[in-house]
Amino acid sequence: MTRPTPPPATPKQPSPQSAAKKPASTFRAALRGLLTAILVPVLLFEEWGWTPLANLVGRLARLPLWARLENKVRGLPPWGALLAFFLPVLVLLPVKVLALYLFSGGHAATGFAVLIGAKLVGTAIVARIFQLVETSLMRISLFARWYPRWKAWKNRVLLAVRASAPWRAIHAFEEATRRRSRHLWHRFWRL
């Protein structure tokens, strides 16, 4: 006995819910990509300057008054530590607004110098404060939950940047320039 052939399968139509999810997920992916592209230069600067600038500010702890101030910051309760961590950001906000004002007034070089100076000082102070209050901040449940996620995401982004061809080319150029400079320096002093 022969079996009857089944009717041809009709193409499955997407449900209205799945059709609505596609543009939303595309939008989220595009937004995530845009935010990553904006944050990469900031992350690279922070990664470059975080430890050296924090150590530079940490040298001020040799001064008795500064050492007492650091001890007070280190002993802050969790929410006080969070306030101390964000205080430099709030204090430097008017300086950054001043830089924008200088840009708008046609003083681009001065505005750029003010902006870079504020970024360097801000990063140095925030990095040092973070070194002092990290254990207190980790006692805040929201911070303890999100900080490791932020750090893992940042490390993934920086790893991808460092694996990219432009980054490797810049790094190779820097290394070659450094070798040539050392060679010329030694050659100059042998004369």
Side-chain angles (χ1 to χ4, degrees):
M1 186 177 251
T2 62
R3 290 188 174 168
T5 58
T10 58
K12 195 173 187 180
Q13 296 294 323
S15 68
Q17 292 86 8
S18 66
K21 286 181 184 178
K22 184 172 176 140
S25 65
T26 304
F27 175 73
R28 265 183 277 161
L31 184 62
R32 187 177 296 135
L34 177 66
L35 287 174
T36 301
I38 291 170
L39 282 175
V40 164
V42 174
L43 290 175
L44 288 171
F45 176 79
E46 299 277 335
E47 188 69 17
W48 164 82
W50 190 265
T51 303
L53 291 172
N55 293 340
L56 185 67
V57 173
R59 289 182 188 168
L60 293 173
R62 296 177 188 157
L63 303 170
L65 181 63
W66 195 269
R68 281 196 301 269
L69 180 64
E70 281 195 359
N71 284 333
K72 285 187 185 283
V73 170
R74 193 178 285 117
L76 287 172
W79 290 102
L82 188 64
L83 179 63
F85 182 62
F86 284 114
L87 192 61
V89 175
L90 294 174
V91 168
L92 288 173
L93 189 62
V95 177
K96 293 178 180 179
V97 170
L98 171 66
L100 290 175
Y101 175 76
L102 290 169
F103 277 122
S104 70
H107 303 286
T110 307
F112 189 69
V114 168
L115 197 59
I116 294 297
K119 186 64 181 159
L120 284 169
V121 169
T123 299
I125 293 172
V126 167
R128 181 61 182 165
I129 290 174
F130 186 75
Q131 286 178 343
L132 298 172
V133 300
E134 183 177 6
T135 55
S136 291
L137 289 175
M138 292 308 268
R139 293 193 316 228
I140 299 172
S141 62
L142 189 64
F143 190 88
R145 186 173 345 135
W146 285 100
Y147 178 68
R149 291 178 185 179
W150 157 256
K151 194 155 175 73
W153 175 81
K154 181 181 85 162
N155 290 339
R156 280 193 312 271
V157 169
L158 290 174
L159 191 65
V161 167
R162 289 185 182 123
S164 69
W167 180 269
R168 289 192 319 262
I170 290 169
H171 189 67
F173 176 75
E174 282 179 342
E175 190 59 37
T177 304
R178 195 175 297 124
R179 277 195 311 269
R180 271 188 247 126
S181 298
R182 267 184 285 192
H183 175 72
L184 289 172
W185 181 258
H186 291 300
R187 189 172 168 198
F188 174 76
W189 283 106
R190 280 189 225 155
L191 293 177

